[in-house]
Amino acid sequence: MFRPVYETQSDLDREMEVARFLERIWDCKFHKTPVRYHVDFVISRGKVVLSYCEVKVRNYSMKDINNMGGYLISAGKWSSAKSLSESSGLPFTLVIKALDGIWYNLVKENFKPDGIIIGGRDDRHDWQDTEPCVLINCERFTKVAD
């Protein structure tokens, strides 16, 4: 049995909007990856891949996220990003578009999380929406733009 896909076209459009903005700022190209990669994009300059990348759009400010203890990302996604990074020698870039700007965390080697907690959603009554999540301190993020 297949799980429902909760990611909407609107979600994908918002992520792509962030990617297109960063392409201009960083002089690069974001390429959407097949779902089997478990991360949203690879970032390249020319044909050379620079980084794997996950883009998240949130309805909170980074201050709010910090007050909640830090940014949460699925431990499964974090593990996939770590595996891709280690097997390729490329970094992983986590991009957050929050209410107060666009932020990024470039992870080159230190995939050690700042904590692991149970997180996720329970409003959809899908037991697979609650899972171990990696906690990342907001101090690890750099602001790109307002």
Side-chain angles (χ1 to χ4, degrees):
M1 185 171 140
F2 293 102
R3 277 194 80 220
V5 176
Y6 297 115
E7 189 172 48
T8 66
Q9 186 60 50
S10 178
D11 295 332
L12 294 170
D13 291 345
R14 285 192 297 273
E15 289 174 2
M16 192 56 72
E17 182 180 321
V18 172
R20 296 297 174 241
F21 174 78
L22 291 174
E23 284 178 340
R24 292 188 303 276
I25 299 294
W26 290 345
D27 185 30
C28 64
K29 175 81 173 148
F30 279 64
H31 305 269
K32 188 74 173 148
T33 58
V35 70
R36 69 181 175 270
Y37 283 81
H38 303 286
V39 296
D40 293 328
F41 299 95
V42 293
I43 303 171
S44 73
R45 192 164 291 124
K47 289 193 178 252
V48 177
V49 175
L50 305 172
S51 179
Y52 293 94
C53 181
E54 181 73 14
V55 175
K56 298 292 190 185
V57 178
R58 295 293 177 250
N59 290 320
Y60 299 101
S61 68
M62 279 303 258
K63 182 178 179 182
D64 293 336
I65 293 169
N66 188 53
N67 289 340
M68 290 184 257
Y71 187 77
L72 290 180
I73 185 170
S74 155
K77 186 172 291 284
W78 187 254
S79 177
S80 293
K82 180 179 190 246
S83 178
L84 286 166
S85 180
E86 288 177 347
S87 66
S88 67
L90 296 172
F92 169 63
T93 307
L94 176 57
V95 175
I96 310 295
K97 181 181 184 298
L99 294 177
D100 57 348
I102 298 175
W103 305 75
Y104 76 97
N105 175 16
L106 182 65
V107 184
K108 293 182 179 178
E109 296 170 354
N110 183 12
F111 276 88
K112 186 174 186 317
D114 298 309
I116 299 179
I117 65 171
I118 297 295
R121 299 176 62 154
D122 58 13
D123 59 323
R124 296 187 285 224
H125 307 291
D126 182 345
W127 66 271
Q128 293 186 74
D129 273 355
T130 303
E131 63 183 316
C133 291
V134 167
L135 182 67
I136 303 167
N137 287 334
C138 292
E139 294 82 35
R140 289 195 189 192
F141 289 86
T142 302
K143 192 171 191 178
V144 178
D146 291 322

